[in-house]
Amino acid sequence: IIMYSVDRVYDRYYASKTKRMQFTNLDPRSGDGSLDILNLKAADTGTYQCKVKKAPGVQSKKIQLTVLVKPARTKCSIEGSQEIGKDVTLKCVSQEGSPLLSYDWRRVSGTQNLP
């Protein structure tokens, strides 16, 4: 994504990431090679590796980044006849969100509080 070598930053490898990923410190020679990711996107989720080379060796470390996506607008509806003795389905759908969505139904009005 981005590299610093011989007093120069190389950051033109991936057009979609250009201008979004930069070194935190303007001078990585100081020993700080931290990475800023601007305008985070869900597609930025993944494993990132930092590799530091200095004679005579190489050190590397991997970090897992999980970008969270809030749930999309929830759509609710009722299917079926709302009559005593009939079956009804209460629908609740949200198309996206991470990590995996969970749903919690509660009765919030009426005489009995039901889970």
Side-chain angles (χ1 to χ4, degrees):
I1 296 172
I2 190 169
M3 184 173 82
Y4 175 83
S5 181
V6 192
D7 297 334
R8 186 165 175 220
V9 173
Y10 299 87
D11 61 353
R12 306 280 182 208
Y13 297 110
Y14 301 98
S16 66
K17 309 240 185 278
T18 300
K19 304 286 185 202
R20 290 188 47 241
M21 302 205 179
Q22 63 192 25
F23 284 109
T24 302
N25 189 324
L26 297 176
D27 184 10
R29 284 183 298 183
S30 69
D32 183 357
S34 299
L35 177 67
D36 286 337
I37 303 175
L38 310 174
N39 190 23
L40 203 59
K41 301 177 186 308
D44 293 328
T45 293
T47 303
Y48 291 76
Q49 179 179 24
C50 175
K51 188 182 289 185
V52 180
K53 297 179 187 179
K54 185 170 182 177
V58 175
Q59 290 284 324
S60 67
K61 192 73 172 178
K62 291 181 181 178
I63 295 175
Q64 179 65 41
L65 173 66
T66 303
V67 179
L68 302 178
V69 178
K70 63 183 173 181
R73 174 168 270 151
T74 303
K75 295 178 183 162
C76 300
S77 61
I78 298 173
E79 285 185 2
S81 176
Q82 298 175 47
E83 300 174 34
I84 291 176
K86 301 288 183 171
D87 295 336
V88 69
T89 300
L90 305 179
K91 297 191 117 195
C92 181
V93 179
S94 185
Q95 295 300 322
E96 67 177 21
S98 65
L100 295 176
L101 298 171
S102 63
Y103 296 89
D104 180 20
W105 281 93
R106 294 179 188 269
R107 181 176 169 180
V108 294
S109 67
T111 56
Q112 280 186 300
N113 191 10
L114 300 173

